Amino acid sequence: MPRHVILDMDPGYDDAIALCLALAAEELEVIAVTATGGNVEPEQASRNVQALVEHFDPKRWPRIGAASPEQILRTNARHLHGDDGLCGAGLQVAELANRHRSVKVLSDEIRKAPGDITIVATGPLSNIADMLRYEPDLAGMIGHLIIRGGTLAAPGNVTAAAEFNIYCDSEAARQVFNSPITKTVIPIDVTGEVILGFDFLERLKSRDSRTAVLLERILPGAYRAARQHLGLEGILVHDVVALVAAMRPALFTMQRMYGDVETAGELTHGETVFERRAVTAEQPNMDVAVQMDAAAVEAAIVESLDAA
Ligand code: RIB
Ligand code: CA
């Protein structure tokens, strides 16, 4: 029985890879893809979600949610994902007039199947926080929330202390961290262990699947940006690793922890803070991925995309 998922994403090249993987994975059924701003502005993220689904054209189309144009974000990551969010791929998209908002799609689908849906959030947590603010009873109906965000002990990637998805909307992240939802956090300590080298890009060129053709248009720009801005000979795929956690949880070691988000710090704004003292009054409020079989996760990514 496939796991029913809703992907809340800010495409973003690694969100795009994760979406391709999810739409092709036998372990998952993608019920909806809801856009949030983050890597790029909300409207662009919404267009990217639609363009990716149109170009991938899965047998069973997921519902699509549009990010709120009023979403306020502290920064963006256009230097790594391009001004269009997909590294200049130039995907055309049919403008749909009656797009439902992401928060409404999330609420509709969770109410249809209480306890059944896993949300995989690979962008800022604005939609999840807004949904909980408008409809707090939904917290008890979400089966599981997997959050691709934060750091456990690793340095930040947008400031010295903060990871991008949390930093973009730290108030939303704090609200979600402190909600009663069953949640798992996949920090960049773990997701940063996988870097797809140039051999992955070469492998795509030898494939003629819809996925390969789509990613071949997106990823060369991501490799260039990673080399220019991060000095890497390959691309980080944080969101793809988080999706593997939904597909193959056995590849990850989880630890119950108490976590919260700094929203008032000057140097530490958006930092995720986890309680690791032996004696504490704080009760754990989430699972945190503290280790993974990186080689097996990378193999799962490559094999799943090969099969897509
Ligand atoms: O910190 C990495 C995360 O920020 C990834 O989800 C990337 O897509 C950006 O959203
Ligand atoms: Ca993302």
Side-chain angles (χ1 to χ4, degrees):
M1 179 73 172
R3 187 172 192 174
H4 296 153
V5 296
I6 294 178
L7 308 179
D8 192 67
M9 318 187 105
D10 63 330
Y13 77 81
D14 56 333
D15 305 75
I17 301 172
L19 177 54
C20 287
L21 209 63
L23 290 172
E26 289 168 6
E27 300 94 328
L28 304 177
E29 180 178 342
V30 184
I31 303 298
V33 186
T34 52
T36 173
N39 287 317
V40 287
E41 292 67 29
E43 296 88 335
Q44 185 63 48
S46 302
R47 273 195 294 276
N48 289 347
V49 165
Q50 171 129 6
L52 289 165
V53 173
E54 283 182 0
H55 280 76
F56 193 78
D57 192 18
K59 291 188 190 70
R60 179 188 173 130
W61 273 47
R63 284 189 70 186
I64 292 173
S68 164
E70 289 84 48
Q71 186 182 10
I72 297 169
L73 297 152
R74 289 178 74 92
T75 185
N76 65 68
R78 292 199 298 264
H79 63 300
L80 293 176
H81 298 266
D83 288 342
D84 68 348
L86 296 176
C87 308
L91 302 186
Q92 298 308 310
V93 61
E95 291 293 339
L96 264 191
N98 62 340
R99 274 189 198 156
H100 289 298
R101 284 284 171 82
S102 293
V103 173
K104 172 161 175 39
V105 171
L106 281 159
S107 170
D108 288 351
E109 295 306 325
I110 289 162
R111 288 195 187 282
K112 272 188 212 166
D116 177 53
I117 298 286
T118 293
I119 302 172
V120 182
T122 63
L125 294 170
S126 314
N127 291 332
I128 315 300
D130 285 349
M131 175 183 67
L132 294 175
R133 189 176 317 117
Y134 302 140
E135 301 177 74
D137 63 319
L138 282 171
M141 296 184 204
I142 296 169
H144 196 157
L145 170 62
I146 296 176
I147 300 168
R148 179 15 337 272
T151 65
L152 183 57
N157 61 359
V158 67
T159 68
E163 179 273 335
F164 180 85
N165 286 336
I166 305 297
Y167 179 82
C168 269
D169 189 346
S170 59
E171 290 76 11
R174 183 164 213 202
Q175 189 185 334
V176 173
F177 271 43
N178 288 289
S179 71
I181 303 175
T182 302
K183 64 187 87 74
T184 298
V185 165
I186 317 278
I188 52 174
D189 307 56
V190 164
T191 60
E193 288 181 37
V194 176
I195 295 178
L196 296 185
F198 287 102
D199 56 322
F200 175 73
L201 192 56
E202 289 310 308
R203 195 183 178 110
L204 280 180
K205 289 177 180 167
S206 66
R207 298 274 188 288
D208 59 2
S209 68
R210 194 182 286 273
T211 300
V213 170
L214 182 63
L215 295 184
E216 241 189 285
R217 288 180 65 177
I218 298 169
L219 294 187
Y223 279 83
R224 284 194 296 274
R227 175 181 276 175
Q228 181 184 350
H229 295 288
L230 304 175
L232 291 178
E233 294 300 308
I235 53 172
L236 290 161
V237 282
H238 297 294
D239 298 346
V240 194
V241 174
L243 192 86
V244 174
M247 294 164 59
R248 313 265 177 87
L251 296 179
F252 295 76
T253 304
M254 301 295 177
Q255 187 175 327
R256 289 294 296 163
M257 297 177 99
Y258 172 81
D260 203 341
V261 178
E262 173 58 68
T263 56
E266 189 179 339
L267 299 177
T268 58
H269 188 97
E271 181 174 9
T272 48
V273 181
F274 293 95
E275 177 61 87
R276 282 173 286 180
R277 289 173 293 180
V279 179
T280 172
E282 299 296 358
Q283 291 303 310
N285 58 354
M286 61 183 74
D287 283 321
V288 180
V290 293
Q291 273 184 338
M292 75 175 172
D293 180 340
V297 168
E298 183 168 342
I301 292 169
V302 175
E303 286 156 19
S304 302
L305 288 172
D306 265 0

